[in-house]
Amino acid sequence: MKLYSTQNHDLKVDFATAVFNSMPLDKGLYMPVHIPDLDQEFINNLDKFTLSQIAYKVASLLLRDAIPLEDLQHIIDDAINFEAPLVPLQEGGDTYVLELFHGPSLAFKDFGARFMSRIMAYFLKDNEKMLDVLVATSGDTGGAVALGFLGVPNTRVTILYPKGKVSEIQELQLCTNGQNIHAIEVDGTFDDCQSLVKQAFADEELNKKLRLTSANSINISRLIPQTFYYFNAFAQLKRQGKENVVFSVPSGNFGNIAAGLLAYKMGLPVKQFIAATNINDTVPRFLETGVYETKSSIQTYANAMDVGAPSNWVRIMDLFGNDQEAIKDIVKSYSFTDEDTLQAIKDIYEKFSYVACPHTAIAWLALQTYSTDAKVESKEAKVFLSTAHACKFPDIFPEEIKAKIEIPAQVNSLFSKEKKATAMDTSFESFKEYLNGY
Ligand SMILES: *Cc1c(COP(=O)(O)O)cnc(C)c1O
């Protein structure tokens, strides 16, 4: 497999280089040179395959010779060991929620983080220096990365999170792992955490001593496994005799929807994608006005989508040869306020007895708006992606709905574990001293 930089298509690297670098030096993003076309036979028979079979087929076509097939099979079995069920919102209805939160950290980021951790471990040679993964998190990324790398040999993860700004369950997911996972509670904001990580990557002395790598959402090995569940959703729809599909994706850094569009480019028949955002609306504004203008992020209830400069957008532009009109045909985009989000959470609960997390609720709202705008035919299957379990954001729900949230077993067991985190100020000297102590 070869990948190029979105900034320079002549700059090509192999898969392992793209995985460990995360980003080319020219600040573009890596994209596969060759996007395979899935054969029609496979698409027509998708309903006969399991998630893991689909994952294997898609990954082997994308990665080609990068990993021997037997090893790839093993990586997939190990990484994708939970389901992504498509749940009808209403008996006999045409709206479905694609639940992507059945992995260990209860968020869709488990797909990317688990696959990436195993790919990195695979490419590490036995006698090489331990891999040090540094990650700043505002909540969901840290948990997925921590649980993804937990116990993975020859790796160590250092997670920085802003004190008092992540939910209780998110904090427990970061701080109760032990083993090769270290949590740092920074007395500052998410931006401070991110700045510390960036400074560490730029520090010559540290880079001599440690083999540093990042684990953020721009890594190509996080994007690839996110294509799997789009194919698998289609397979589940096919089993119900439905094919004409619309996907609504709650979007922040636009990695999730970029993976959906990559699946589409590989031949998955999708009628429409909807990019649903909170008031951090850089993309919906762009699709409306043609002007791409990033902004500082604004805090909302759907905080995993508080992104003013969505890093994966360039990948989508690249997939469509920078043809704005082509993108506008396949991607519609809508943004919603916190008031809209809260109302949607209540509406979904009252109409369908379903508890949706704020990100998920925004995807449902966008689907409603699209259906009204486009006068969707009833034959269509409308799918909104649920990116996290509601229990991760308890403070947002009205008491009555909060009481209905079922806490999954893997979360209940967290409450009895000891929380361990190193408290730190926002100065780089403190962080460097900590890393030097490894
Ligand atoms: C990360 C995240 C998102 C945003 O996904 P992107 O790939 O960044 O667009 C949405 N919802 C939840 C719960 C998340 O954790």
Side-chain angles (χ1 to χ4, degrees):
M1 183 194 200
K2 287 271 182 262
L3 301 104
Y4 61 63
S5 163
T6 51
Q7 291 276 37
N8 174 5
H9 288 199
D10 293 330
L11 184 121
K12 295 189 180 81
V13 300
D14 62 13
F15 184 50
T17 307
V19 168
F20 286 122
N21 288 358
S22 250
M23 196 184 231
L25 283 174
D26 63 18
K27 302 263 162 65
L29 292 186
Y30 290 117
M31 284 297 276
V33 170
H34 175 80
I35 294 176
D37 235 336
L38 285 167
D39 52 277
Q40 204 52 47
E41 166 110 13
F42 176 69
I43 301 283
N44 289 342
N45 288 294
L46 264 173
D47 53 329
K48 303 188 180 68
F49 297 108
T50 63
L51 171 58
S52 129
Q53 287 168 329
I54 290 170
Y56 174 72
K57 170 88 176 182
V58 173
S60 60
L61 285 172
L62 263 171
L63 302 188
R64 307 174 114 201
D65 54 354
I67 295 177
L69 291 180
E70 224 171 281
D71 297 331
L72 182 62
Q73 180 77 65
H74 183 75
I75 289 170
I76 283 174
D77 289 345
D78 194 28
I80 314 297
N81 61 349
F82 52 92
E83 289 302 320
L86 189 73
V87 179
L89 210 45
Q90 202 169 19
E91 200 66 48
D94 56 7
T95 303
Y96 300 81
V97 49
L98 179 62
E99 293 186 344
L100 301 174
F101 54 72
H102 295 282
S105 84
L106 309 175
F108 85 101
K109 291 189 172 74
D110 284 327
F111 281 90
R114 286 180 72 79
F115 189 76
M116 175 177 65
S117 62
R118 280 144 187 86
I119 294 283
M120 283 184 171
Y122 177 82
F123 283 129
L124 279 176
K125 307 285 181 302
D126 284 344
N127 49 5
E128 269 181 348
K129 221 192 247 182
M130 169 178 305
L131 186 69
D132 264 301
V133 180
L134 303 185
V135 53
T137 185
S138 57
D140 267 0
T141 301
V145 171
L147 292 158
F149 277 93
L150 181 64
V152 173
N154 217 14
T155 69
R156 177 168 50 195
V157 179
T158 307
I159 299 165
L160 293 87
Y161 71 96
K163 179 177 174 179
K165 294 191 176 66
V166 302
S167 79
E168 185 188 9
I169 289 174
Q170 285 175 329
E171 187 169 28
L172 285 168
Q173 285 178 343
L174 302 175
C175 301
T176 57
N177 296 294
Q179 297 187 56
N180 57 333
I181 312 297
H182 302 249
I184 298 180
E185 182 180 34
V186 176
D187 196 1
T189 62
F190 168 65
D191 289 339
D192 292 323
C193 297
Q194 206 158 30
S195 158
L196 288 173
V197 168
K198 279 195 183 146
Q199 289 177 77
F201 283 126
D203 190 279
E204 227 175 289
E205 204 185 318
L206 278 177
N207 278 282
K208 268 195 198 125
K209 190 169 167 195
L210 305 169
R211 181 173 180 175
L212 299 178
T213 192
S214 82
N216 54 24
S217 76
I218 56 172
N219 198 295
I220 189 72
S221 65
R222 276 181 64 169
L223 196 75
I224 289 168
Q226 291 177 13
T227 61
F228 304 161
Y229 49 73
Y230 285 95
F231 288 100
N232 189 55
F234 186 82
Q236 293 177 76
L237 281 173
K238 228 166 138 50
R239 279 177 214 131
Q240 313 207 9
K242 307 218 168 166
E243 298 204 2
N244 222 353
V245 57
V246 175
F247 283 115
S248 179
V249 188
S251 298
N253 262 321
F254 282 69
N256 198 353
I257 195 168
L261 290 163
L262 178 58
Y264 170 74
K265 282 283 179 183
M266 290 175 77
L268 182 69
V270 179
K271 190 182 164 215
Q272 189 74 59
F273 284 92
I274 304 168
T277 75
N278 56 31
I279 50 165
N280 294 283
D281 61 352
T282 300
V283 168
R285 266 189 296 116
F286 169 65
L287 291 181
E288 198 176 311
T289 64
V291 182
Y292 192 79
E293 185 195 13
T294 61
K295 285 189 179 167
S296 315
S297 67
I298 304 163
Q299 202 177 338
T300 74
Y301 290 155
N303 66 354
M305 288 154 49
D306 294 349
V307 182
S311 48
N312 280 291
W313 184 251
V314 292
R315 280 202 162 113
I316 295 174
M317 294 296 284
D318 189 82
L319 266 178
F320 290 87
N322 291 306
D323 180 348
Q324 249 184 69
E325 290 308 312
I327 296 176
K328 275 163 81 167
D329 278 344
I330 190 73
V331 183
K332 300 276 176 272
S333 191
Y334 307 100
S335 72
F336 299 93
T337 64
D338 273 351
E339 290 70 47
D340 298 334
T341 308
L342 196 56
Q343 189 57 48
I345 287 174
K346 291 178 187 161
D347 287 348
I348 299 170
Y349 178 70
E350 272 159 28
K351 286 187 189 145
F352 311 109
S353 303
Y354 190 86
V355 184
C357 91
H359 314 78
T360 308
I362 288 176
W364 179 78
L365 266 180
L367 203 49
Q368 300 306 105
T369 307
Y370 166 77
S371 301
T372 321
D373 275 9
K375 303 201 179 56
V376 177
E377 310 149 40
S378 59
K379 283 204 306 282
E380 262 176 14
K382 296 179 281 176
V383 177
F384 62 106
L385 276 57
S386 178
T387 43
H389 195 289
C391 74
K392 296 184 91 173
F393 313 94
D395 301 340
I396 284 148
F397 295 93
E399 282 306 322
E400 185 207 345
I401 302 181
K402 190 170 154 181
K404 289 291 189 310
I405 300 176
E406 285 169 32
I407 309 284
Q410 66 260 52
V411 169
N412 266 326
S413 69
L414 288 177
F415 290 103
S416 57
K417 289 188 184 164
E418 191 196 352
K419 188 192 129 185
K420 254 190 177 162
T422 304
M424 200 171 282
D425 56 36
T426 57
S427 74
F428 180 59
E429 285 68 39
S430 311
F431 187 42
K432 185 166 175 177
E433 190 181 299
Y434 177 88
L435 291 174
N436 264 324
Y438 270 152

